[in-house]
Amino acid sequence: MRYVVGYIANARGHDAVNLAVALARGRGAALDLVVVVPEVQQFGAAHAPRAGFENVLHEQAQEWLDEALALVPSDVPAKAHLRTGDSDAHALIEAAEVLGADLLVIGATNSGIFKRFTIGSVASALLHASTVPVVLAPHGYYRQEALTRISCGLGSRAGAEKLLDFALGMATNREVPLRVVSLLALDGGAEADAAKAADAAREYAEKHLAAALPPRGPEAKEPEVRAEAKTEVVVAHGRSIEEAVDRLEWEAGEVLLIGSSRLAAGRSIFLGSTANRILRALPVPMIVVPSDYELKQLNHSASNDTPREAQS
């Protein structure tokens, strides 16, 4: 497996590398650290760029690549790549496609002490165009240890089953528990109505989880070749989605998977309004899975033979 990491020489870039290391350690994956620099445009003689500017730019980028590699522990295979382009987002998407990446990891911006995520221009473009899952590292993410739990935000729209399959495969392969999360915004209303809505959400989640789990006993067509992930269903509600997120307990080594909005085209991502509201309150990384994304990770074998090197 390969994970592309969009690196920038600041705290946001460090957050992305830390999270990518944590993800890689759970799967024996290799990292491709990518620095994007702008293309040097051709100007007329009157506006010619300073001689050697392109060389200076690439020398600086190489220093950033070396810095990125130094953040990766020796037990995680890593390469560093220099890409050029007018758009950082498009260059990262192109790198992910060329390198056959399974995930694209970036750091989120922040705009205040209490905000862990703010979607900047690059992240916004990725969340509207990427054809591979995008992983957002919250501000100040420091962990490099393997993940301890996968949470999956399960909605009632079409495609929820595929997201659950993805989450179950991810948890099983990493040998960590899977928590299926249903978030309800119940603005006022009677307590009985809230309890009824929570019960319905739990029943829905448990039904889909049972359908996603492999058959057991005499119904199984062939012996299980992998251990089954430990699973649970949790329903959280509040006056808003943000309050429901706050009411949940989150582990430091946890990530939340959500699916792309139904407005996404083909196998791309579109971050809907509910996902944006979750993101505003979420204290852990978020993985956004494109619509109709094919689960490649189940067919991958872990590999640790990728060398640590930098290349352009």
Side-chain angles (χ1 to χ4, degrees):
M1 301 192 75
R2 309 188 70 87
Y3 302 155
V4 162
V5 185
Y7 183 76
I8 184 170
N10 59 19
R12 194 186 344 159
H14 291 198
D15 295 339
V17 172
N18 288 337
L19 177 53
V21 169
L23 290 164
R25 277 183 161 159
R27 285 291 284 133
L31 303 184
D32 289 296
L33 310 174
V34 177
V35 168
V36 180
V37 296
E39 290 181 340
V40 177
Q41 302 294 331
Q42 298 298 320
F43 296 91
H47 303 92
R50 186 174 58 188
F53 172 75
E54 186 172 1
N55 290 336
V56 171
L57 182 62
H58 280 242
E59 287 176 4
Q60 178 61 75
Q62 187 60 51
E63 290 183 14
W64 292 333
L65 291 173
D66 294 339
E67 175 186 291
L69 281 172
L71 296 172
V72 181
S74 59
D75 64 309
V76 177
K79 288 184 179 180
H81 309 261
L82 176 62
R83 311 281 298 189
T84 59
D86 293 332
S87 164
D88 287 3
H90 290 164
L92 289 173
I93 292 172
E94 183 181 69
E97 293 174 348
V98 169
L99 296 168
D102 300 271
L103 298 174
L104 205 169
V105 187
I106 59 171
T109 59
N110 78 302
S111 59
I113 295 176
F114 301 108
K115 289 189 177 181
R116 304 175 184 93
F117 288 98
T118 301
I119 301 300
S121 58
V122 174
S124 179
L126 287 175
L127 291 172
H128 287 78
S130 178
T131 55
V132 300
V134 173
V135 188
L136 298 171
H139 175 66
Y141 193 83
Y142 64 90
R143 292 185 80 261
Q144 289 194 336
E145 296 80 17
L147 300 183
T148 60
R149 184 168 67 183
I150 307 295
S151 279
C152 176
L154 187 66
S156 59
R157 292 173 177 168
E161 299 86 354
K162 291 185 178 181
L163 177 66
L164 191 52
D165 285 342
F166 185 99
L168 187 60
M170 186 175 181
T172 300
N173 284 332
R174 294 170 182 274
E175 299 182 345
V176 298
L178 170 66
R179 181 174 68 160
V180 180
V181 175
S182 182
L183 301 170
L184 302 177
L186 305 175
D187 189 8
E191 184 176 335
D193 292 338
K196 184 177 180 180
D199 288 343
R202 179 179 295 278
E203 181 180 353
Y204 176 87
E206 289 177 345
K207 174 183 175 182
H208 281 78
L209 178 58
L213 290 170
R216 304 179 187 178
E219 296 181 0
K221 295 181 179 180
E222 58 186 37
E224 292 186 28
V225 295
R226 297 177 301 155
E228 184 180 305
K230 179 182 177 182
T231 61
E232 67 171 327
V233 172
V234 176
V235 177
H237 60 83
R239 290 168 297 180
S240 65
I241 289 294
E242 292 89 340
E243 185 174 289
V245 172
D246 281 335
R247 288 184 173 182
L248 282 172
E249 293 184 1
W250 299 95
E251 295 182 0
E254 185 169 7
V255 297
L256 174 67
L257 270 67
I258 64 167
S260 172
S261 166
R262 69 188 188 283
L263 298 177
R267 291 179 60 248
S268 63
I269 286 177
F270 187 90
L271 199 64
S273 59
T274 300
N276 268 303
R277 292 164 64 189
I278 293 172
L279 199 58
R280 287 198 292 266
L282 191 67
V284 300
M286 174 183 278
I287 301 179
V288 187
V289 182
S291 57
D292 298 327
Y293 183 73
E294 296 179 2
L295 189 79
K296 296 190 295 179
Q297 63 176 331
L298 293 178
N299 300 319
H300 275 285
S301 59
S303 173
N304 291 304
D305 57 0
T306 307
R308 298 168 60 83
E309 61 185 48
Q311 64 183 40
S312 58

